[in-house]
Amino acid sequence: MVRTPYGAVSGRFERGAAVFRGIPYAAPPVGPLRFRPPVPPEPWDGVRDAGAFGPTAPKPPYSEAFAQYLSDPVVAGEGWLNLNVWTPEPGRGARLPVLVWLHGGALTRGSSAVPVYDGQPFARDGVVFVSVNYRLGVEGYGLFPDAPANPGLHDQLAALRWVHESIEAFGGDRGRVTLCGQSAGAISVGALIAAPQAQGLFRRAVLQSGPPEALDRDKVRRMVRRMATRLKIPATAEAFAAVDPAVLLRAQAETGRLSSPVLGGPAFGIVVDGDLVPRDPLEALVEGTVARDTDLLMGWTRDEYRLWLVPGGLLERVDRLGPVALAGAMARCHCGGEVVRGYRALRPDAGTAEIVGQLVTDHLLRIPLHRLADARPGSSYVYEFAWPSGRTGLGACHALELGFVFDTGEVPEARKLAGEGAPRELADAMHRAWVRFAVEGDPGWRAWGTTHPVQLFGDGEPHVVHGPRDAELALWAADAGAPEPAPESDPPSGRSTRGTELRSAVRRLRRSVGVRRH
């Protein structure tokens, strides 16, 4: 039993760790609190049972194509703003390092209840592990004229404040908190590193396959407006709050049908709001105006794009589209033909889908993370995960590294993505690196510098390679002076021929592949 600022909770001893699940860090965001920043939970009398995961935020299920690779449990209830704690030594005085986990899922799916995110291996190795649920989709990231922006990010900030106030009672040290996330969780981490309100709440940060970024506000507004049109209601928080949640989720799923990391399109995301996100997080971090003392561990998987394109046969369809797909990728990435030709020269045996996938991966992930590392040499550590899945076609895809980082490769949900035969020694090495970073701020290889050292986790012994992506990134630097196509929402007048052709290619590509956002 442990006392929090809002009441006592009782957990369970499991496999050598004390586990507390479903602890509320904020009040249920329903009724008048819907679409609003979180408020503290109501204190409770007695001892609250913390033996089971708390409710998960409303979310649409994965499509059948993605569900064969990814698991996303649903726990019913309205108290979505809850967290879980695994600790080897509950009670004040232990002062152990803490790792706080923000799950991915495109800010529309995912939860802390995914079995791959079991915190027991971290607790086993002396780290207090905290995993967080937060609002998703339109509830967490819709942009309305009558409600504040980014309530889901405010949820995460509230969870960090709870950790700051409460974690010492669970054996943690609030001065040694590492904030960690993957995909949308990493994007959230990046925004929180740069958020003035989050300063002092964590000391280190891990960004797995997600850069600091702020989405264009009009892109999020278009998502809300399209949902409003489908629902035949005004695009306001008041009108959305009156819609049955199940109906809202169906409209959200249909509206986001043609959105994906490869194709772009309207989506939910963190936006600059003049408050929690006063400016673009990447620019703030690169300029060094905030969080100069935050140690960073960041990286990507070799074949991120394969999780976006392999399910449902999209990889083959993009290959068949050939020039249309390449033109669409140029528009998506705001690059010219020289970049595409350079990628072709570097990968003479690659098909169209691989070229498109790597272009988009570099544009979305590797270039911004390189910029961030360049701005913080000596305190940034970069990795690439390159072990190929045993599942046909996935390669070293997006999210595959998670079972290795958590050392949970034996659970069925990890094998859905990795297949059989995942190397035990690779999980040992990756998990040990993440633990060491949380404990010491150093994962065990050279910090970023002029030679661009990158720790490669693949077949065989992990080792450092220097500048493995420098040739590709040099192509983007050479292309930086080329004119970019106008945004998709610009009026027809004044558009360049290049911009018009590329936008038309994006629309044809979306219609051709009919990709569903996972």
Side-chain angles (χ1 to χ4, degrees):
M1 189 270 287
V2 172
R3 294 193 179 278
T4 78
Y6 305 103
V9 292
S10 65
R12 306 286 188 276
F13 280 104
E14 299 176 7
R15 296 177 295 156
V19 187
F20 303 81
R21 297 182 175 93
I23 304 172
Y25 64 84
V30 297
L33 298 180
R34 209 167 168 200
F35 301 107
R36 301 288 164 181
V39 300
E42 286 292 329
W44 59 88
D45 296 324
V47 179
R48 184 187 183 107
D49 181 35
F53 285 113
T56 53
K59 54 191 173 179
Y62 282 119
S63 66
E64 185 177 342
F66 281 98
Q68 64 176 310
Y69 300 110
L70 302 171
S71 297
D72 198 7
V74 173
V75 181
E78 294 183 335
W80 315 320
L81 304 186
N82 60 75
L83 51 76
N84 318 294
V85 180
W86 281 259
T87 176
E89 294 185 42
R92 296 186 181 275
R95 302 188 68 81
L96 297 170
V98 181
L99 190 145
V100 178
W101 172 250
L102 302 180
H103 67 80
L107 297 177
T108 58
R109 295 179 173 86
S111 79
S112 64
V114 174
V116 177
Y117 307 154
D118 188 340
Q120 188 275 338
F122 281 100
R124 175 197 68 200
D125 294 329
V127 175
V128 177
F129 181 86
V130 181
S131 56
V132 178
N133 281 342
Y134 54 92
R135 279 174 282 185
L136 303 171
V138 71
E139 299 273 359
Y141 297 92
L143 194 54
F144 299 99
D146 56 338
N150 301 317
L153 191 67
H154 279 274
D155 295 343
Q156 296 166 1
L157 177 63
L160 281 172
R161 286 173 171 160
W162 183 97
V163 169
H164 190 73
E165 296 170 357
S166 309
I167 205 62
E168 290 187 358
F170 293 84
D173 182 349
R174 68 180 186 179
R176 288 201 293 165
V177 174
T178 298
L179 183 60
C180 180
Q182 185 266 345
S183 193
I187 292 171
S188 302
V189 169
L192 290 165
I193 299 171
Q197 296 179 40
Q199 302 308 300
L201 296 179
F202 54 93
R203 181 174 173 181
R204 303 181 179 110
V206 182
L207 297 92
Q208 298 175 217
S209 300
E213 68 174 22
L215 213 57
D216 179 70
R217 290 176 69 93
D218 188 60
K219 193 171 187 177
V220 181
R221 282 196 192 98
R222 278 186 283 139
M223 187 74 167
V224 172
R225 288 169 185 158
R226 291 181 187 186
M227 286 184 66
T229 299
R230 183 175 292 272
L231 293 165
K232 298 181 173 60
I233 61 173
T236 63
E238 181 182 14
F240 272 61
V243 177
D244 180 87
V247 175
L248 208 59
L249 282 180
R250 285 197 296 271
Q252 177 181 302
E254 284 301 312
T255 303
R257 186 173 61 86
L258 295 182
S259 295
S260 80
V262 173
L263 300 179
F268 292 115
I270 296 164
V271 298
V272 173
D273 59 13
D275 176 28
L276 182 54
V277 188
R279 58 176 302 199
D280 180 270
L282 179 61
E283 299 308 320
L285 292 171
V286 167
E287 291 177 14
T289 55
V290 290
R292 287 297 308 172
D293 297 328
T294 303
D295 301 320
L296 301 176
L297 170 60
M298 50 193 165
W300 49 76
T301 71
R302 184 189 62 198
D303 308 311
E304 300 271 3
Y305 69 95
R306 287 185 170 268
L307 185 62
W308 308 329
L309 292 182
V310 168
L314 299 178
L315 193 81
E316 292 78 8
R317 272 183 271 175
V318 171
D319 268 335
R320 288 196 299 269
L321 288 167
V324 171
L326 289 171
M330 289 164 59
R332 176 79 175 98
C333 300
H334 305 289
C335 68
E338 286 300 319
V339 175
V340 175
R341 285 188 283 275
Y343 274 64
R344 283 285 194 202
L346 291 169
R347 296 174 173 81
D349 299 325
T352 297
E354 181 177 346
I355 298 297
V356 168
Q358 294 293 1
L359 277 168
V360 173
T361 300
D362 286 348
H363 172 67
L364 294 179
L365 295 177
R366 295 185 183 122
I367 291 174
L369 291 177
H370 263 251
R371 286 187 63 202
L372 183 54
D374 282 341
R376 293 167 180 249
S379 61
S380 299
Y381 300 85
V382 179
Y383 73 89
E384 177 169 312
F385 180 82
W387 180 80
S389 168
R391 300 291 302 272
T392 302
L394 287 182
C397 69
H398 190 67
L400 181 59
E401 87 284 7
L402 290 171
F404 296 86
V405 168
F406 277 82
D407 195 12
T408 52
E410 76 286 351
V411 303
E413 291 78 7
R415 292 199 296 271
K416 286 176 70 172
L417 200 58
E420 301 297 331
R424 171 77 257 168
E425 59 275 12
L426 182 58
D428 290 342
M430 289 199 79
H431 179 72
R432 184 168 57 247
W434 264 243
V435 168
R436 177 170 166 169
F437 183 74
V439 174
E440 303 176 15
D442 171 2
W445 62 87
R446 272 187 68 190
W448 189 259
T450 55
T451 61
H452 294 179
V454 176
Q455 179 81 340
L456 187 67
F457 292 101
D459 288 321
E461 187 73 19
H463 61 283
V464 167
V465 293
H466 293 274
R469 301 289 171 176
D470 285 3
E472 292 93 332
L473 300 187
L475 297 168
W476 297 83
D479 188 65
E484 293 186 355
E488 194 176 339
S489 57
D490 280 0
S493 60
R495 285 178 171 174
S496 67
T497 301
R498 175 188 173 195
T500 302
E501 290 174 351
L502 293 183
R503 280 186 298 276
S504 178
V506 167
R507 288 192 288 270
R508 293 199 305 275
L509 180 58
R510 287 182 185 147
R511 288 195 298 269
S512 299
V513 301
V515 64
R516 287 185 175 270
R517 188 180 187 187
H518 72 274

